[in-house]
Amino acid sequence: MAKEAANVSDTPSRSVTGGRETTNSFDAVIIGAGFAGLYMLHRLRGLGFSARVYEAGAGIGGTWYWNRYPGARCDVESLEYSYSFSKELEQEWQWTERYATQPEILRYLSHVAERFDLKPDIQLQTRVTAATFDEAADCWTIQTDRGDRVSAQFCVMATGCLSAAKIPDYKGRDSFHGETYHTGHWPHEGVDFTGQKVAVIGTGSSGIQSIPIIATQASHLFVFQRTPNFSVPANNAPLSPGAKQDWQVNSAVYRQQARTVPFGMLFEQSEKSALEVTPDERQREYERRWQLGGVCLLGSFTDLIVNKEANDTATEFVHSKIRGIVRDPAVAEKLLPRSHPIATKRLCVDTDYYATFNRDNVTLVDVLATPIEEITPTGLRTTDAEYTVDSIVFATGFDAMTGALCNIDIRGRDGVTLKQKWAEGPRTYLGIMVAGFPNLFTITGPGSPSVLSNMAVSIEQHVDWIAHCLEYLRQHQEAAIEATVDAENAWVEHVNEVGNATLFPLANSWYMGANIPGKPRVFMPYIGGVGVYRQKCEEVAAKGYQGFALSSSAVAS
Ligand code: NA7
């Protein structure tokens, strides 16, 4: 591509179809209209780039469009889980609860889309099926399931980290005569389980949030648990006028803090080791944070995710809480997480989860001890019993972080697919770009803090970085940017090194790809911390995109 082609195309090539003018060439195509895609569109338009967003859903919202299961809420506090780019937006939007529900977050995102007039550039109900880099023309050709075929100099993947829903391939899966649901594809009209016998399979965040509510409706609820999970109480409540006022006045300070702390969340982080304090002091600190609610338990001590002995103290604390809440000791024992250190699988945040097992209409089935053998026309059969149910809820999670990307036929240089490139696990530079795939950006991609952080903070950081990058290319009349193999190798090594210094590799988590049979066992997110990571990204940009090859033609040398 000639250098001048990197300039904003004020007049993208157009064709006229059936009397309706259509544009088939854009500066950027953005895939996904969730938190990331909406802001990316807003930023690029603001810089004068032409952009088209493709979204598979019938509405905007991404995660918050699809995950409508009962009890779906964000586990980051609402004030923090919001955009910071517009002071006016922040001043005019009023969150109602400490942790926002899915409908409230979806309303917020709809408000954002309306307020910034984003909808005209978003094509809904359109799934991108393929993206192919054209080395001769230095651009991406994007195809959709609706027959669109457009070209774009840049392709931005805003496909989400937890969007490729997964239902285990049980024998007889399609033979069930009742209704089946996946939490990540919940019917928009809602589901009333009143009077039904219901099976919920899975006790990750989605199971843990929905089980207490389904239990209040169902005549009987069977919870099929493979791995007991750690959960802490949300202590959710309406946001007080004082908290709202404080945020309005001090948000600039809070936002800046969130950008520099390890998880992008504002909970208090202790500077002490769990092992340097007395057992009493430790207990008091855990108890204080348990009462505060939410993931702040993780900030109790500095070494909980790097030192097993320290971690064991938090594990023991949560075990004692579970034993205190659940009246039947045998059920409590089954609920105790023992196979992984606390926080090495996503720490869940719940309302009444453990107490739900005190209800007479709830049965916990340990499918680690007695695995599910098959789905039958009337329910499920484990190795030791048959369960007759009316509905089955799969709260079985997602092909996380790489699934949504690899489900699209993305082809870079020499026709190599992203799936081929990542056969042994994802390889990226900074989690933003992939060697061999020029001008393709992955918002919160593997190798970035993404799912180990407040996604709102990490998304804004990536979007801003990408927007600056495109501006830089335009100013310097460069047509293409591509991660070098050396930079990518060094980054992957660094991500692994930092991950291996923690306890995360000890868990069979979706962070490790362990929930998908055959998926390489690789720790995918970057755990170096949001602040450290941001600094690194800024340094790279300040040095003229160190580790990237910039070229006026896309052939990186
Ligand atoms: P998760 O966290 O991946 O949880 C999925 C759950 O489903 C988990 O308990 C799994 O057990 C269980 N599961 C998965 N496959 C099976 C099979 N084959 N048999 C029995 N049980 C199974 O997904 P969520 O939707 O709850 O949460 C995803 C994220 O969304 C969450 O972390 C938040 O960030 C928001 P396992 O632990 O694999 O033994």
Side-chain angles (χ1 to χ4, degrees), residues 76-107:
V76 175
E77 298 194 23
S78 54
L79 293 169
E80 299 176 47
Y81 188 78
S82 56
Y83 292 116
S84 71
F85 69 83
S86 163
K87 192 73 193 159
E88 295 74 32
L89 170 65
E90 189 164 72
Q91 296 290 334
E92 74 202 13
W93 183 264
Q94 298 288 321
W95 294 104
T96 63
E97 293 180 80
R98 180 181 178 189
Y99 295 97
T101 59
Q102 172 271 331
E104 189 169 25
I105 299 172
L106 192 56
R107 278 199 300 279

PDB file of all heavy atoms in Angstrom, residues 76-107:
ATOM      1  N   VAL A  76     -17.384  -6.390  39.547  1.00  0.00           N
ATOM      2  CA  VAL A  76     -16.619  -5.160  39.825  1.00  0.00           C
ATOM      3  C   VAL A  76     -17.665  -4.092  40.158  1.00  0.00           C
ATOM      4  O   VAL A  76     -18.726  -4.046  39.544  1.00  0.00           O
ATOM      5  CB  VAL A  76     -15.791  -4.728  38.589  1.00  0.00           C
ATOM      6  CG1 VAL A  76     -15.098  -3.398  38.840  1.00  0.00           C
ATOM      7  CG2 VAL A  76     -14.789  -5.817  38.226  1.00  0.00           C
ATOM      8  N   GLU A  77     -17.353  -3.234  41.111  1.00  0.00           N
ATOM      9  CA  GLU A  77     -18.355  -2.256  41.550  1.00  0.00           C
ATOM     10  C   GLU A  77     -18.755  -1.328  40.402  1.00  0.00           C
ATOM     11  O   GLU A  77     -17.915  -0.932  39.592  1.00  0.00           O
ATOM     12  CB  GLU A  77     -17.822  -1.474  42.745  1.00  0.00           C
ATOM     13  CG  GLU A  77     -17.563  -2.406  43.916  1.00  0.00           C
ATOM     14  CD  GLU A  77     -17.360  -1.700  45.239  1.00  0.00           C
ATOM     15  OE1 GLU A  77     -17.829  -0.548  45.389  1.00  0.00           O
ATOM     16  OE2 GLU A  77     -16.736  -2.304  46.116  1.00  0.00           O
ATOM     17  N   SER A  78     -20.055  -0.996  40.368  1.00  0.00           N
ATOM     18  CA  SER A  78     -20.617  -0.302  39.204  1.00  0.00           C
ATOM     19  C   SER A  78     -19.904   1.017  38.890  1.00  0.00           C
ATOM     20  O   SER A  78     -19.664   1.323  37.716  1.00  0.00           O
ATOM     21  CB  SER A  78     -22.114  -0.060  39.418  1.00  0.00           C
ATOM     22  OG  SER A  78     -22.338   0.614  40.630  1.00  0.00           O
ATOM     23  N   LEU A  79     -19.565   1.777  39.917  1.00  0.00           N
ATOM     24  CA  LEU A  79     -18.934   3.076  39.651  1.00  0.00           C
ATOM     25  C   LEU A  79     -17.607   2.886  38.924  1.00  0.00           C
ATOM     26  O   LEU A  79     -17.215   3.702  38.091  1.00  0.00           O
ATOM     27  CB  LEU A  79     -18.696   3.825  40.965  1.00  0.00           C
ATOM     28  CG  LEU A  79     -19.968   4.265  41.694  1.00  0.00           C
ATOM     29  CD1 LEU A  79     -19.643   4.740  43.102  1.00  0.00           C
ATOM     30  CD2 LEU A  79     -20.681   5.370  40.918  1.00  0.00           C
ATOM     31  N   GLU A  80     -16.928   1.790  39.243  1.00  0.00           N
ATOM     32  CA  GLU A  80     -15.622   1.534  38.634  1.00  0.00           C
ATOM     33  C   GLU A  80     -15.740   0.831  37.293  1.00  0.00           C
ATOM     34  O   GLU A  80     -14.865   0.946  36.445  1.00  0.00           O
ATOM     35  CB  GLU A  80     -14.762   0.673  39.565  1.00  0.00           C
ATOM     36  CG  GLU A  80     -14.474   1.317  40.894  1.00  0.00           C
ATOM     37  CD  GLU A  80     -13.693   0.380  41.803  1.00  0.00           C
ATOM     38  OE1 GLU A  80     -12.707  -0.207  41.344  1.00  0.00           O
ATOM     39  OE2 GLU A  80     -14.093   0.227  42.965  1.00  0.00           O
ATOM     40  N   TYR A  81     -16.835   0.072  37.141  1.00  0.00           N
ATOM     41  CA  TYR A  81     -17.025  -0.679  35.899  1.00  0.00           C
ATOM     42  C   TYR A  81     -17.822   0.190  34.939  1.00  0.00           C
ATOM     43  O   TYR A  81     -18.995  -0.050  34.651  1.00  0.00           O
ATOM     44  CB  TYR A  81     -17.753  -1.994  36.183  1.00  0.00           C
ATOM     45  CG  TYR A  81     -17.826  -2.925  34.990  1.00  0.00           C
ATOM     46  CD1 TYR A  81     -16.737  -3.690  34.615  1.00  0.00           C
ATOM     47  CD2 TYR A  81     -18.991  -3.029  34.230  1.00  0.00           C
ATOM     48  CE1 TYR A  81     -16.794  -4.535  33.516  1.00  0.00           C
ATOM     49  CE2 TYR A  81     -19.063  -3.867  33.137  1.00  0.00           C
ATOM     50  CZ  TYR A  81     -17.960  -4.619  32.784  1.00  0.00           C
ATOM     51  OH  TYR A  81     -18.017  -5.456  31.692  1.00  0.00           O
ATOM     52  N   SER A  82     -17.210   1.244  34.478  1.00  0.00           N
ATOM     53  CA  SER A  82     -17.896   2.188  33.598  1.00  0.00           C
ATOM     54  C   SER A  82     -16.821   2.950  32.840  1.00  0.00           C
ATOM     55  O   SER A  82     -15.655   2.944  33.227  1.00  0.00           O
ATOM     56  CB  SER A  82     -18.754   3.154  34.421  1.00  0.00           C
ATOM     57  OG  SER A  82     -17.954   3.815  35.382  1.00  0.00           O
ATOM     58  N   TYR A  83     -17.231   3.585  31.766  1.00  0.00           N
ATOM     59  CA  TYR A  83     -16.259   4.345  30.970  1.00  0.00           C
ATOM     60  C   TYR A  83     -15.809   5.586  31.732  1.00  0.00           C
ATOM     61  O   TYR A  83     -16.601   6.212  32.450  1.00  0.00           O
ATOM     62  CB  TYR A  83     -16.905   4.820  29.672  1.00  0.00           C
ATOM     63  CG  TYR A  83     -17.256   3.739  28.691  1.00  0.00           C
ATOM     64  CD1 TYR A  83     -18.587   3.499  28.351  1.00  0.00           C
ATOM     65  CD2 TYR A  83     -16.273   2.984  28.056  1.00  0.00           C
ATOM     66  CE1 TYR A  83     -18.932   2.538  27.414  1.00  0.00           C
ATOM     67  CE2 TYR A  83     -16.617   2.015  27.114  1.00  0.00           C
ATOM     68  CZ  TYR A  83     -17.945   1.796  26.802  1.00  0.00           C
ATOM     69  OH  TYR A  83     -18.281   0.842  25.870  1.00  0.00           O
ATOM     70  N   SER A  84     -14.549   5.948  31.493  1.00  0.00           N
ATOM     71  CA  SER A  84     -14.043   7.173  32.125  1.00  0.00           C
ATOM     72  C   SER A  84     -13.767   8.262  31.092  1.00  0.00           C
ATOM     73  O   SER A  84     -13.359   9.353  31.441  1.00  0.00           O
ATOM     74  CB  SER A  84     -12.743   6.866  32.888  1.00  0.00           C
ATOM     75  OG  SER A  84     -11.690   6.606  31.989  1.00  0.00           O
ATOM     76  N   PHE A  85     -14.006   7.957  29.811  1.00  0.00           N
ATOM     77  CA  PHE A  85     -13.533   8.888  28.775  1.00  0.00           C
ATOM     78  C   PHE A  85     -14.364  10.164  28.677  1.00  0.00           C
ATOM     79  O   PHE A  85     -13.924  11.137  28.090  1.00  0.00           O
ATOM     80  CB  PHE A  85     -13.459   8.189  27.411  1.00  0.00           C
ATOM     81  CG  PHE A  85     -14.800   7.823  26.820  1.00  0.00           C
ATOM     82  CD1 PHE A  85     -15.547   8.748  26.118  1.00  0.00           C
ATOM     83  CD2 PHE A  85     -15.312   6.532  26.962  1.00  0.00           C
ATOM     84  CE1 PHE A  85     -16.779   8.413  25.565  1.00  0.00           C
ATOM     85  CE2 PHE A  85     -16.533   6.183  26.416  1.00  0.00           C
ATOM     86  CZ  PHE A  85     -17.275   7.130  25.719  1.00  0.00           C
ATOM     87  N   SER A  86     -15.570  10.157  29.217  1.00  0.00           N
ATOM     88  CA  SER A  86     -16.422  11.345  29.096  1.00  0.00           C
ATOM     89  C   SER A  86     -16.901  11.786  30.466  1.00  0.00           C
ATOM     90  O   SER A  86     -17.653  11.079  31.131  1.00  0.00           O
ATOM     91  CB  SER A  86     -17.620  11.031  28.192  1.00  0.00           C
ATOM     92  OG  SER A  86     -18.625  11.999  28.374  1.00  0.00           O
ATOM     93  N   LYS A  87     -16.480  12.944  30.849  1.00  0.00           N
ATOM     94  CA  LYS A  87     -16.902  13.520  32.134  1.00  0.00           C
ATOM     95  C   LYS A  87     -18.420  13.709  32.138  1.00  0.00           C
ATOM     96  O   LYS A  87     -19.094  13.449  33.131  1.00  0.00           O
ATOM     97  CB  LYS A  87     -16.186  14.868  32.310  1.00  0.00           C
ATOM     98  CG  LYS A  87     -16.283  15.448  33.696  1.00  0.00           C
ATOM     99  CD  LYS A  87     -15.419  14.684  34.663  1.00  0.00           C
ATOM    100  CE  LYS A  87     -15.743  15.042  36.091  1.00  0.00           C
ATOM    101  NZ  LYS A  87     -15.311  14.033  37.045  1.00  0.00           N
ATOM    102  N   GLU A  88     -18.953  14.134  30.988  1.00  0.00           N
ATOM    103  CA  GLU A  88     -20.397  14.405  30.915  1.00  0.00           C
ATOM    104  C   GLU A  88     -21.176  13.099  31.114  1.00  0.00           C
ATOM    105  O   GLU A  88     -22.160  13.064  31.844  1.00  0.00           O
ATOM    106  CB  GLU A  88     -20.770  15.013  29.553  1.00  0.00           C
ATOM    107  CG  GLU A  88     -20.170  16.380  29.278  1.00  0.00           C
ATOM    108  CD  GLU A  88     -18.676  16.312  28.963  1.00  0.00           C
ATOM    109  OE1 GLU A  88     -18.226  15.305  28.379  1.00  0.00           O
ATOM    110  OE2 GLU A  88     -17.955  17.256  29.337  1.00  0.00           O
ATOM    111  N   LEU A  89     -20.703  12.056  30.440  1.00  0.00           N
ATOM    112  CA  LEU A  89     -21.363  10.749  30.595  1.00  0.00           C
ATOM    113  C   LEU A  89     -21.334  10.337  32.063  1.00  0.00           C
ATOM    114  O   LEU A  89     -22.348   9.888  32.623  1.00  0.00           O
ATOM    115  CB  LEU A  89     -20.638   9.709  29.730  1.00  0.00           C
ATOM    116  CG  LEU A  89     -21.043   8.246  29.942  1.00  0.00           C
ATOM    117  CD1 LEU A  89     -22.492   8.019  29.528  1.00  0.00           C
ATOM    118  CD2 LEU A  89     -20.119   7.303  29.152  1.00  0.00           C
ATOM    119  N   GLU A  90     -20.205  10.515  32.666  1.00  0.00           N
ATOM    120  CA  GLU A  90     -20.056  10.109  34.065  1.00  0.00           C
ATOM    121  C   GLU A  90     -20.985  10.911  34.982  1.00  0.00           C
ATOM    122  O   GLU A  90     -21.575  10.373  35.914  1.00  0.00           O
ATOM    123  CB  GLU A  90     -18.606  10.317  34.479  1.00  0.00           C
ATOM    124  CG  GLU A  90     -18.294   9.743  35.827  1.00  0.00           C
ATOM    125  CD  GLU A  90     -16.795   9.634  36.004  1.00  0.00           C
ATOM    126  OE1 GLU A  90     -16.150  10.657  36.171  1.00  0.00           O
ATOM    127  OE2 GLU A  90     -16.296   8.503  35.931  1.00  0.00           O
ATOM    128  N   GLN A  91     -21.125  12.179  34.686  1.00  0.00           N
ATOM    129  CA  GLN A  91     -21.966  13.030  35.541  1.00  0.00           C
ATOM    130  C   GLN A  91     -23.453  12.704  35.355  1.00  0.00           C
ATOM    131  O   GLN A  91     -24.228  12.796  36.295  1.00  0.00           O
ATOM    132  CB  GLN A  91     -21.732  14.517  35.228  1.00  0.00           C
ATOM    133  CG  GLN A  91     -20.326  15.017  35.532  1.00  0.00           C
ATOM    134  CD  GLN A  91     -20.020  15.091  37.024  1.00  0.00           C
ATOM    135  OE1 GLN A  91     -20.907  15.237  37.833  1.00  0.00           O
ATOM    136  NE2 GLN A  91     -18.743  14.977  37.375  1.00  0.00           N
ATOM    137  N   GLU A  92     -23.833  12.341  34.155  1.00  0.00           N
ATOM    138  CA  GLU A  92     -25.276  12.197  33.915  1.00  0.00           C
ATOM    139  C   GLU A  92     -25.792  10.791  34.232  1.00  0.00           C
ATOM    140  O   GLU A  92     -26.980  10.621  34.461  1.00  0.00           O
ATOM    141  CB  GLU A  92     -25.612  12.561  32.457  1.00  0.00           C
ATOM    142  CG  GLU A  92     -25.187  11.513  31.449  1.00  0.00           C
ATOM    143  CD  GLU A  92     -25.035  12.062  30.037  1.00  0.00           C
ATOM    144  OE1 GLU A  92     -25.021  13.288  29.860  1.00  0.00           O
ATOM    145  OE2 GLU A  92     -24.909  11.231  29.121  1.00  0.00           O
ATOM    146  N   TRP A  93     -24.910   9.793  34.243  1.00  0.00           N
ATOM    147  CA  TRP A  93     -25.393   8.424  34.473  1.00  0.00           C
ATOM    148  C   TRP A  93     -25.403   8.103  35.965  1.00  0.00           C
ATOM    149  O   TRP A  93     -24.418   8.313  36.665  1.00  0.00           O
ATOM    150  CB  TRP A  93     -24.530   7.393  33.728  1.00  0.00           C
ATOM    151  CG  TRP A  93     -25.094   6.010  33.912  1.00  0.00           C
ATOM    152  CD1 TRP A  93     -24.704   5.083  34.827  1.00  0.00           C
ATOM    153  CD2 TRP A  93     -26.190   5.439  33.212  1.00  0.00           C
ATOM    154  NE1 TRP A  93     -25.487   3.958  34.736  1.00  0.00           N
ATOM    155  CE2 TRP A  93     -26.419   4.149  33.742  1.00  0.00           C
ATOM    156  CE3 TRP A  93     -27.019   5.887  32.182  1.00  0.00           C
ATOM    157  CZ2 TRP A  93     -27.431   3.311  33.275  1.00  0.00           C
ATOM    158  CZ3 TRP A  93     -28.021   5.051  31.719  1.00  0.00           C
ATOM    159  CH2 TRP A  93     -28.215   3.781  32.261  1.00  0.00           C
ATOM    160  N   GLN A  94     -26.500   7.577  36.439  1.00  0.00           N
ATOM    161  CA  GLN A  94     -26.630   7.246  37.862  1.00  0.00           C
ATOM    162  C   GLN A  94     -26.737   5.742  38.043  1.00  0.00           C
ATOM    163  O   GLN A  94     -27.732   5.143  37.631  1.00  0.00           O
ATOM    164  CB  GLN A  94     -27.903   7.895  38.443  1.00  0.00           C
ATOM    165  CG  GLN A  94     -27.918   9.403  38.389  1.00  0.00           C
ATOM    166  CD  GLN A  94     -26.951  10.015  39.386  1.00  0.00           C
ATOM    167  OE1 GLN A  94     -26.816   9.531  40.512  1.00  0.00           O
ATOM    168  NE2 GLN A  94     -26.252  11.069  38.982  1.00  0.00           N
ATOM    169  N   TRP A  95     -25.724   5.129  38.622  1.00  0.00           N
ATOM    170  CA  TRP A  95     -25.830   3.716  38.981  1.00  0.00           C
ATOM    171  C   TRP A  95     -26.679   3.596  40.232  1.00  0.00           C
ATOM    172  O   TRP A  95     -26.666   4.494  41.087  1.00  0.00           O
ATOM    173  CB  TRP A  95     -24.441   3.122  39.246  1.00  0.00           C
ATOM    174  CG  TRP A  95     -23.572   3.067  38.025  1.00  0.00           C
ATOM    175  CD1 TRP A  95     -22.541   3.902  37.731  1.00  0.00           C
ATOM    176  CD2 TRP A  95     -23.688   2.157  36.928  1.00  0.00           C
ATOM    177  NE1 TRP A  95     -21.989   3.555  36.513  1.00  0.00           N
ATOM    178  CE2 TRP A  95     -22.673   2.481  36.002  1.00  0.00           C
ATOM    179  CE3 TRP A  95     -24.538   1.086  36.642  1.00  0.00           C
ATOM    180  CZ2 TRP A  95     -22.490   1.776  34.809  1.00  0.00           C
ATOM    181  CZ3 TRP A  95     -24.355   0.392  35.450  1.00  0.00           C
ATOM    182  CH2 TRP A  95     -23.344   0.735  34.554  1.00  0.00           C
ATOM    183  N   THR A  96     -27.412   2.505  40.330  1.00  0.00           N
ATOM    184  CA  THR A  96     -28.325   2.402  41.473  1.00  0.00           C
ATOM    185  C   THR A  96     -27.804   1.491  42.585  1.00  0.00           C
ATOM    186  O   THR A  96     -28.196   1.627  43.731  1.00  0.00           O
ATOM    187  CB  THR A  96     -29.711   1.878  41.035  1.00  0.00           C
ATOM    188  OG1 THR A  96     -29.556   0.566  40.518  1.00  0.00           O
ATOM    189  CG2 THR A  96     -30.336   2.794  39.991  1.00  0.00           C
ATOM    190  N   GLU A  97     -26.949   0.517  42.203  1.00  0.00           N
ATOM    191  CA  GLU A  97     -26.505  -0.436  43.223  1.00  0.00           C
ATOM    192  C   GLU A  97     -24.981  -0.525  43.234  1.00  0.00           C
ATOM    193  O   GLU A  97     -24.319  -0.178  42.260  1.00  0.00           O
ATOM    194  CB  GLU A  97     -27.052  -1.837  42.908  1.00  0.00           C
ATOM    195  CG  GLU A  97     -28.542  -1.964  43.024  1.00  0.00           C
ATOM    196  CD  GLU A  97     -28.978  -3.383  42.686  1.00  0.00           C
ATOM    197  OE1 GLU A  97     -28.866  -4.260  43.556  1.00  0.00           O
ATOM    198  OE2 GLU A  97     -29.419  -3.613  41.550  1.00  0.00           O
ATOM    199  N   ARG A  98     -24.467  -1.069  44.321  1.00  0.00           N
ATOM    200  CA  ARG A  98     -23.016  -1.247  44.415  1.00  0.00           C
ATOM    201  C   ARG A  98     -22.508  -2.122  43.263  1.00  0.00           C
ATOM    202  O   ARG A  98     -21.507  -1.801  42.634  1.00  0.00           O
ATOM    203  CB  ARG A  98     -22.695  -1.914  45.762  1.00  0.00           C
ATOM    204  CG  ARG A  98     -21.221  -2.144  45.977  1.00  0.00           C
ATOM    205  CD  ARG A  98     -20.958  -2.817  47.316  1.00  0.00           C
ATOM    206  NE  ARG A  98     -19.554  -3.086  47.496  1.00  0.00           N
ATOM    207  CZ  ARG A  98     -19.036  -3.817  48.477  1.00  0.00           C
ATOM    208  NH1 ARG A  98     -19.854  -4.354  49.391  1.00  0.00           N
ATOM    209  NH2 ARG A  98     -17.747  -4.010  48.570  1.00  0.00           N
ATOM    210  N   TYR A  99     -23.188  -3.233  43.015  1.00  0.00           N
ATOM    211  CA  TYR A  99     -22.858  -4.085  41.866  1.00  0.00           C
ATOM    212  C   TYR A  99     -24.036  -4.032  40.901  1.00  0.00           C
ATOM    213  O   TYR A  99     -25.156  -4.385  41.276  1.00  0.00           O
ATOM    214  CB  TYR A  99     -22.633  -5.543  42.306  1.00  0.00           C
ATOM    215  CG  TYR A  99     -21.433  -5.691  43.204  1.00  0.00           C
ATOM    216  CD1 TYR A  99     -21.582  -5.719  44.591  1.00  0.00           C
ATOM    217  CD2 TYR A  99     -20.150  -5.769  42.670  1.00  0.00           C
ATOM    218  CE1 TYR A  99     -20.477  -5.823  45.423  1.00  0.00           C
ATOM    219  CE2 TYR A  99     -19.047  -5.871  43.493  1.00  0.00           C
ATOM    220  CZ  TYR A  99     -19.215  -5.899  44.866  1.00  0.00           C
ATOM    221  OH  TYR A  99     -18.120  -5.994  45.670  1.00  0.00           O
ATOM    222  N   ALA A 100     -23.762  -3.610  39.688  1.00  0.00           N
ATOM    223  CA  ALA A 100     -24.867  -3.431  38.738  1.00  0.00           C
ATOM    224  C   ALA A 100     -25.345  -4.766  38.192  1.00  0.00           C
ATOM    225  O   ALA A 100     -24.557  -5.689  37.956  1.00  0.00           O
ATOM    226  CB  ALA A 100     -24.401  -2.541  37.589  1.00  0.00           C
ATOM    227  N   THR A 101     -26.634  -4.847  37.979  1.00  0.00           N
ATOM    228  CA  THR A 101     -27.214  -6.034  37.339  1.00  0.00           C
ATOM    229  C   THR A 101     -26.958  -5.965  35.830  1.00  0.00           C
ATOM    230  O   THR A 101     -26.697  -4.882  35.283  1.00  0.00           O
ATOM    231  CB  THR A 101     -28.739  -6.078  37.533  1.00  0.00           C
ATOM    232  OG1 THR A 101     -29.287  -4.881  36.954  1.00  0.00           O
ATOM    233  CG2 THR A 101     -29.129  -6.163  38.999  1.00  0.00           C
ATOM    234  N   GLN A 102     -27.121  -7.127  35.205  1.00  0.00           N
ATOM    235  CA  GLN A 102     -26.976  -7.167  33.732  1.00  0.00           C
ATOM    236  C   GLN A 102     -27.925  -6.173  33.042  1.00  0.00           C
ATOM    237  O   GLN A 102     -27.475  -5.426  32.157  1.00  0.00           O
ATOM    238  CB  GLN A 102     -27.210  -8.607  33.241  1.00  0.00           C
ATOM    239  CG  GLN A 102     -27.284  -8.771  31.738  1.00  0.00           C
ATOM    240  CD  GLN A 102     -28.702  -8.596  31.205  1.00  0.00           C
ATOM    241  OE1 GLN A 102     -29.669  -8.873  31.908  1.00  0.00           O
ATOM    242  NE2 GLN A 102     -28.816  -8.120  29.980  1.00  0.00           N
ATOM    243  N   PRO A 103     -29.228  -6.098  33.432  1.00  0.00           N
ATOM    244  CA  PRO A 103     -30.085  -5.148  32.708  1.00  0.00           C
ATOM    245  C   PRO A 103     -29.612  -3.702  32.864  1.00  0.00           C
ATOM    246  O   PRO A 103     -29.697  -2.910  31.923  1.00  0.00           O
ATOM    247  CB  PRO A 103     -31.469  -5.340  33.363  1.00  0.00           C
ATOM    248  CG  PRO A 103     -31.420  -6.692  33.990  1.00  0.00           C
ATOM    249  CD  PRO A 103     -30.002  -6.922  34.390  1.00  0.00           C
ATOM    250  N   GLU A 104     -29.104  -3.371  34.036  1.00  0.00           N
ATOM    251  CA  GLU A 104     -28.668  -1.984  34.230  1.00  0.00           C
ATOM    252  C   GLU A 104     -27.429  -1.681  33.378  1.00  0.00           C
ATOM    253  O   GLU A 104     -27.312  -0.603  32.790  1.00  0.00           O
ATOM    254  CB  GLU A 104     -28.385  -1.720  35.719  1.00  0.00           C
ATOM    255  CG  GLU A 104     -28.133  -0.235  35.988  1.00  0.00           C
ATOM    256  CD  GLU A 104     -28.105   0.133  37.460  1.00  0.00           C
ATOM    257  OE1 GLU A 104     -27.817  -0.736  38.302  1.00  0.00           O
ATOM    258  OE2 GLU A 104     -28.360   1.311  37.768  1.00  0.00           O
ATOM    259  N   ILE A 105     -26.515  -2.645  33.301  1.00  0.00           N
ATOM    260  CA  ILE A 105     -25.306  -2.410  32.484  1.00  0.00           C
ATOM    261  C   ILE A 105     -25.690  -2.307  31.005  1.00  0.00           C
ATOM    262  O   ILE A 105     -25.166  -1.467  30.269  1.00  0.00           O
ATOM    263  CB  ILE A 105     -24.263  -3.527  32.699  1.00  0.00           C
ATOM    264  CG1 ILE A 105     -23.836  -3.565  34.169  1.00  0.00           C
ATOM    265  CG2 ILE A 105     -23.039  -3.297  31.811  1.00  0.00           C
ATOM    266  CD1 ILE A 105     -22.966  -4.750  34.546  1.00  0.00           C
ATOM    267  N   LEU A 106     -26.639  -3.135  30.605  1.00  0.00           N
ATOM    268  CA  LEU A 106     -27.075  -3.075  29.207  1.00  0.00           C
ATOM    269  C   LEU A 106     -27.751  -1.723  28.911  1.00  0.00           C
ATOM    270  O   LEU A 106     -27.528  -1.126  27.850  1.00  0.00           O
ATOM    271  CB  LEU A 106     -28.023  -4.238  28.903  1.00  0.00           C
ATOM    272  CG  LEU A 106     -28.331  -4.482  27.434  1.00  0.00           C
ATOM    273  CD1 LEU A 106     -27.075  -4.706  26.603  1.00  0.00           C
ATOM    274  CD2 LEU A 106     -29.272  -5.672  27.274  1.00  0.00           C
ATOM    275  N   ARG A 107     -28.529  -1.224  29.876  1.00  0.00           N
ATOM    276  CA  ARG A 107     -29.141   0.103  29.695  1.00  0.00           C
ATOM    277  C   ARG A 107     -28.054   1.172  29.561  1.00  0.00           C
ATOM    278  O   ARG A 107     -28.148   2.084  28.745  1.00  0.00           O
ATOM    279  CB  ARG A 107     -30.051   0.440  30.894  1.00  0.00           C
ATOM    280  CG  ARG A 107     -31.439  -0.162  30.815  1.00  0.00           C
ATOM    281  CD  ARG A 107     -32.417   0.554  31.737  1.00  0.00           C
ATOM    282  NE  ARG A 107     -32.043   0.498  33.142  1.00  0.00           N
ATOM    283  CZ  ARG A 107     -32.268  -0.540  33.947  1.00  0.00           C
ATOM    284  NH1 ARG A 107     -32.880  -1.620  33.481  1.00  0.00           N
ATOM    285  NH2 ARG A 107     -31.900  -0.516  35.215  1.00  0.00           N
TER     286      ARG A 107
END
